[in-house]
Amino acid sequence: MSTDFWSPLRLSIEIAFVAGIIASIAGILIGKWMATHDFKGKLVLETALLLPLVLPPTVVGFLLIVIFGKNSMLGDSIIWLFDQPIMFTWWAAVIASTIVAFPLMYQSAKTGFASVDRDIENAARVDGANEWEVFLYVSIPLALKALVAGGVLSFTRALGEFGATLMFAGNIPGKTQTTPLAIYMAIDSGNMTLAWTWVLCMIAISFLLLLTIHILKV
């Protein structure tokens, strides 16, 4: 296979891996907090956190352009710090993938932490454990199956991200052209053999990841 064939696959895995880690960390921390705290407006906040799951990818991409574009305060700050905009870069693809993958990790983490027996956590506190130790050595191990499931699902979702990435990161070969974008371009150019090869690779990777969840009985 040529380098051009492997480049989108490599980029997809790299971007999904980094996005999955960021989404997992954010999902675990926010999921834990939301599972153990009640406050006014919680339902509204939780709905907002889950919005990327149901919004059209083009809407997510548009909002990212507005937030990180040159005309925004955040976009100007990034240009001032790094001397270049974040749009149409590798990191733009990571951000887009993280946003769409986060709700799956968050929901799994929240469900997992909500199922943890509070008496066990309180017993650890009575034995002298601080909140960080309770979180690391009690809460996470007890919610581990849900966290693993959320991590795998968020990685798989990031791997297949298309619309938001296309709008925010562009379709630059070797830089932001992930496999879903490459498949689209292959179909558009009439190269169905190449498109099918990439499609089968994505199906195989996604199938193995989901199969892993079932094997581990997560």
Side-chain angles (χ1 to χ4, degrees):
M1 293 288 183
S2 67
T3 302
D4 290 337
F5 173 82
W6 291 111
S7 178
L9 286 171
R10 176 181 56 80
L11 275 172
S12 291
I13 293 172
E14 289 176 354
I15 290 169
F17 180 74
V18 176
I21 290 176
I22 297 172
S24 294
I25 293 172
I28 288 171
L29 295 177
I30 298 174
K32 170 62 175 176
W33 193 77
M34 293 289 283
T36 55
H37 291 78
D38 289 314
F39 55 91
K40 188 176 181 180
K42 179 179 179 180
L43 183 60
V44 174
L45 177 58
E46 184 164 41
T47 302
L49 291 173
L50 294 174
L51 263 181
L53 194 63
V54 296
L55 283 176
T58 50
V59 173
V60 176
F62 173 80
L63 292 175
L64 288 174
I65 291 173
V66 171
I67 294 170
F68 292 96
K70 294 181 179 179
N71 296 324
S72 71
M73 184 179 297
L74 182 57
D76 283 339
S77 300
I78 292 172
I79 294 174
W80 181 75
L81 285 171
F82 302 103
D83 200 31
Q84 66 172 8
I86 198 168
M87 287 180 60
F88 305 116
T89 65
W90 187 87
W91 280 105
V94 170
I95 291 172
S97 296
T98 300
I99 295 298
V100 299
F102 169 79
L104 291 172
M105 185 65 220
Y106 163 74
Q107 189 63 31
S108 295
K110 179 176 175 288
T111 301
F113 287 127
S115 66
V116 173
D117 191 337
R118 298 290 169 259
D119 289 338
I120 298 176
E121 293 179 324
N122 291 331
R125 295 185 182 97
V126 170
D127 289 337
N130 59 40
E131 289 302 319
W132 183 246
E133 290 172 333
V134 171
F135 178 64
L136 282 180
Y137 302 117
V138 179
S139 302
I140 287 183
L142 290 176
L144 189 59
K145 287 186 176 182
L147 300 182
V148 171
V152 173
L153 290 173
S154 61
F155 174 83
T156 306
R157 178 64 186 87
L159 192 68
E161 165 51 30
F162 176 82
T165 300
L166 179 62
M167 291 189 66
F168 186 50
N171 183 28
I172 307 171
K175 189 175 181 181
T176 64
Q177 188 183 67
T178 57
T179 308
L181 297 175
I183 291 171
Y184 174 80
M185 295 303 296
I187 294 173
D188 190 55
S189 64
N191 193 340
M192 296 303 294
T193 301
L194 184 59
W196 265 113
T197 308
W198 274 323
V199 165
L200 292 174
C201 286
M202 293 293 283
I203 291 173
I205 294 171
S206 300
F207 180 83
L208 289 174
L209 288 170
L210 293 176
L211 183 62
T212 300
I213 295 179
H214 291 293
I215 292 174
L216 295 176
K217 297 181 179 179
V218 174

